[in-house]
Amino acid sequence: METTALRLDFIQALGLDEQNAGTSTGSQWINTGGEAIESFSPVNGHSIGVVESTTAEAYDQVVQQAQKGFEQWRSWPAPKRGEVVRQIGEELRRLKEPLGKLVSFEMGKSLQEGLGEVQEMIDICDFAVGLSRQLYGLSMHSERPGHRMYEQYHPLGVVGIISAFNFPVAVWSWNSMLAWVCGDACIWKPSEKTPLTAVACQKITQRVFEANDVPEGVSCLVNGDFRIGELLSHDGRLPLISATGSTRMGKQVGAAVGARLGRSLLELGGNNAIIVSEKADLEMTIIGAVFGAVGTAGQRCTSTRRLIVHDSIYDTVTEKLASAYKQLRIGDPLDQDNHVGPLIDHAAVEQYNKAIDAVKEAGGRFIVEGGVLEGSGYESGCYVKPCIAEVKNDWPIVQHETFAPILYVMRYSEIEDAIAMQNGVPQGLSSAIMTSDLREAERFLSVAGSDCGIANVNIGTSGAEIGGAFGGEKETGGGRESGSDAWKAYMRRQTNTINYTTELPLAQGISFDF
């Protein structure tokens, strides 16, 4: 597929140029003179655009403008802020196809998944609109006569958002749409591997904000490598940093933000498992396991990494998996007949190869062999074969998250052992059990069951809906994004007591006479 043709299609529809400013305070784009960030599509290895990185000086300018914007934005009624977000959702509906194609082409996920990611953005806009009319606090009874107590939530300030390449637009929207209806300003640092999708989103937001006279600085964009992330993390002017990415990155962000007593919302790596009971529906199991393992070429934080299968059905399940893998079509993700696209870049391919070597060195057996694909259609060097390896749960490589389509399978005999294996990794994001046994399902969901932030029954580990809070425990970071009451992370809580009498009784019956 020729780059020139693409520029006349979805890239042009999104208002992107060959040379793009990468720093914005809303309507203003800043020419920083910073280093060029060139975006190469893993689909064909071609350059699809250049984005100018943010310098330290430009970053400071952005933060100052975001602070000014926040001071005005926080005073807008929350439903009015929600109305602006509603219009963003409408603009995303209008541009769903070109933006979905850009996500697919710049990141490498299938077109269906690219379009699905934009739909997640639309869904979170809808969620945020409703939320804007119910940012509720609690009321409580005072022990003192003539007193009323309640709590309320106020906008927090300027929120820094650091997102990863694998969901280049959806995770930003999970944070920003909620933060905006809460009254915060946002500064977004996208992955340097997917800068064009971020510029496209900023342009979409910019049009809606300008039409509604939203203050300058409420939506800001900065681009660059880890150095920009460090500026955000160490900046005391930003009370909250929401970071999505690797556990290694999250530990660095958490330490920097914690040192200044700021807040961090961390959504980090996963090492997700499906327990396959002898009472599982095997047709459902194979569908869930295959999509979970190969969707987005294994580059989801919720990708299925491990399959823990009961002894009695182990051979049947692995045979069915091997048969299903033979039917996978790997190639250009914009071709909807293909199931699996490329890995993000050559560094990801190298990690994939190292993981395969580590499995072999540990004594693992490959049920489905892996390898890098070559030849026509695979010129970028980023296409790999999804593979399946028989392993032990405690092997170092199995304990580690490899962002690639490698599925580890292992056996169990008792449900207690399966749950222990599921929990026996440093990460705690997503988990699932396939079973028709109510007792097994409830045990898996009980306090002694899965220790993950997400625990599913008879569905896979990926494909979370925006209505529920998204995130996990242990080295996954403990943060929660998207639905439920995740909005509280973007606000500050305040307890209020009102005395409507002519006396001043003290709490706990304390007497203070003079």
Side-chain angles (χ1 to χ4, degrees):
M1 188 172 296
E2 292 298 325
T3 307
T4 52
L6 291 167
R7 293 197 197 287
L8 297 175
D9 184 10
F10 54 85
I11 288 181
Q12 190 175 68
L14 295 167
L16 299 173
D17 303 313
E18 290 188 14
Q19 300 283 335
N20 300 275
T23 306
S24 172
T25 59
S27 65
Q28 300 300 315
W29 290 89
I30 304 170
N31 293 316
T32 66
E35 299 173 0
I37 303 172
E38 192 162 11
S39 178
F40 291 92
S41 170
V43 176
N44 58 15
H46 293 176
S47 172
I48 57 173
V50 174
V51 172
E52 190 180 61
S53 64
T54 304
T55 60
E57 294 76 16
Y59 167 81
D60 191 61
Q61 182 179 342
V62 167
V63 175
Q64 290 183 40
Q65 188 60 60
Q67 289 179 300
K68 293 176 183 177
F70 166 67
E71 290 173 0
Q72 299 176 58
W73 181 242
R74 64 184 176 183
S75 298
W76 284 39
K80 186 177 179 182
R81 299 192 295 254
E83 166 59 18
V84 176
V85 170
R86 185 194 68 79
Q87 293 177 36
I88 293 174
E90 290 303 306
E91 190 70 356
L92 289 169
R93 283 180 171 89
R94 185 177 73 85
L95 294 170
K96 178 178 177 178
E97 182 175 354
L99 184 57
K101 285 182 176 179
L102 178 59
V103 168
S104 176
F105 196 69
E106 187 173 36
M107 184 270 150
K109 64 175 60 177
S110 70
L111 179 57
Q112 298 95 316
E113 291 180 85
L115 294 170
E117 184 170 345
V118 180
Q119 186 61 49
E120 283 192 46
M121 301 174 76
I122 295 167
D123 293 344
I124 199 66
C125 286
D126 290 348
F127 179 88
V129 173
L131 181 65
S132 69
R133 293 183 180 272
Q134 52 181 338
L135 299 171
Y136 50 82
L138 298 173
S139 62
M140 58 282 293
H141 293 280
S142 172
E143 66 185 50
R144 290 168 284 183
H147 285 60
R148 181 167 70 88
M149 292 181 65
Y150 68 97
E151 66 180 22
Q152 60 180 330
Y153 288 84
H154 292 303
L156 185 60
V158 180
V159 175
I161 302 169
I162 301 172
S163 63
F165 74 86
N166 60 330
F167 280 85
V169 294
V171 172
W172 162 73
S173 71
W174 290 359
N175 286 272
S176 60
M177 303 307 162
L178 296 194
W180 284 335
V181 297
C182 288
D184 299 323
C186 295
I187 300 175
W188 179 22
K189 182 222 168 297
S191 169
E192 61 271 29
K193 299 179 181 181
T194 51
L196 288 182
T197 49
V199 173
C201 289
Q202 182 71 1
K203 287 178 177 287
I204 291 169
T205 302
Q206 174 185 340
R207 289 194 294 272
V208 175
F209 276 23
E210 286 182 336
N212 288 273
D213 296 320
V214 173
E216 187 76 10
V218 173
S219 175
C220 298
L221 177 67
V222 292
N223 265 286
D225 58 18
F226 68 93
R227 291 170 290 184
I228 299 299
E230 287 179 344
L231 288 175
L232 288 163
S233 301
H234 287 90
D235 196 333
R237 295 171 292 182
L238 279 60
L240 172 66
I241 300 295
S242 175
T244 303
S246 69
T247 296
R248 177 187 57 80
M249 178 276 290
K251 287 180 178 179
Q252 294 172 346
V253 171
V257 177
R260 60 178 175 83
L261 298 182
R263 297 190 200 176
S264 56
L265 192 167
L266 303 176
E267 197 284 287
L268 311 175
N271 197 344
N272 317 295
I274 299 177
I275 297 173
V276 184
S277 164
E278 72 272 30
K279 300 170 184 175
D281 180 317
L282 294 190
E283 183 176 348
M284 290 172 55
T285 296
I286 299 304
I287 294 172
V290 173
F291 175 73
V294 309
T296 323
Q299 296 172 114
R300 291 176 177 233
C301 51
T302 56
S303 289
T304 304
R305 308 284 176 207
R306 298 174 295 142
L307 210 61
I308 305 169
V309 186
H310 193 272
D311 275 326
S312 64
I313 57 171
Y314 183 87
D315 291 339
T316 301
V317 169
T318 53
E319 287 171 8
K320 287 180 176 292
L321 280 172
S323 176
Y325 269 51
K326 290 177 182 178
Q327 301 174 53
L328 293 175
R329 292 185 294 274
I330 306 167
D332 182 348
L334 293 181
D335 182 344
Q336 296 196 53
D337 288 334
N338 291 327
H339 300 108
V340 185
L343 293 178
I344 185 64
D345 55 22
H346 293 153
V349 175
E350 183 179 355
Q351 292 303 310
Y352 163 86
N353 284 328
K354 286 182 177 179
I356 289 175
D357 290 342
V359 170
K360 291 177 179 177
E361 290 171 7
R365 178 178 72 91
F366 276 88
I367 297 169
V368 175
E369 294 285 344
V372 180
L373 293 168
E374 299 176 346
S376 178
Y378 305 127
E379 290 87 354
S380 70
C382 295
Y383 292 88
V384 301
K385 299 176 184 177
C387 57
I388 304 172
E390 187 177 63
V391 299
K392 299 293 185 184
N393 195 58
D394 59 356
W395 289 357
I397 188 58
V398 179
Q399 294 282 305
H400 174 75
E401 179 191 37
T402 301
F403 240 44
I406 304 174
L407 178 63
Y408 300 125
V409 294
M410 56 203 79
R411 302 170 181 265
Y412 82 92
S413 56
E414 301 293 335
I415 188 64
E416 294 84 1
D417 297 331
I419 292 173
M421 292 166 69
Q422 140 65 37
N423 294 342
V425 292
Q427 308 84 359
L429 179 52
S430 187
S431 59
I433 187 170
M434 295 291 189
T435 183
S436 59
D437 188 313
L438 178 63
R439 291 189 178 94
E440 283 188 335
E442 290 295 336
R443 187 181 185 100
F444 179 73
L445 300 177
S446 75
V447 67
S450 170
D451 64 1
C452 293
I454 299 169
N456 299 326
V457 176
N458 291 330
I459 63 172
T461 59
S462 59
E465 297 183 37
I466 60 95
F470 182 88
E473 303 302 321
K474 302 188 295 188
E475 288 194 357
T476 302
R480 293 296 186 275
E481 298 171 316
S482 190
S484 185
D485 65 349
W487 61 270
K488 293 180 179 179
Y490 307 94
M491 306 198 81
R492 59 182 177 89
R493 189 195 316 231
Q494 185 181 80
T495 300
N496 307 111
T497 305
I498 300 172
N499 177 2
Y500 55 90
T501 73
T502 57
E503 299 178 351
L504 186 59
L506 302 179
Q508 291 84 45
I510 295 173
S511 177
F512 189 72
D513 298 323
F514 59 93

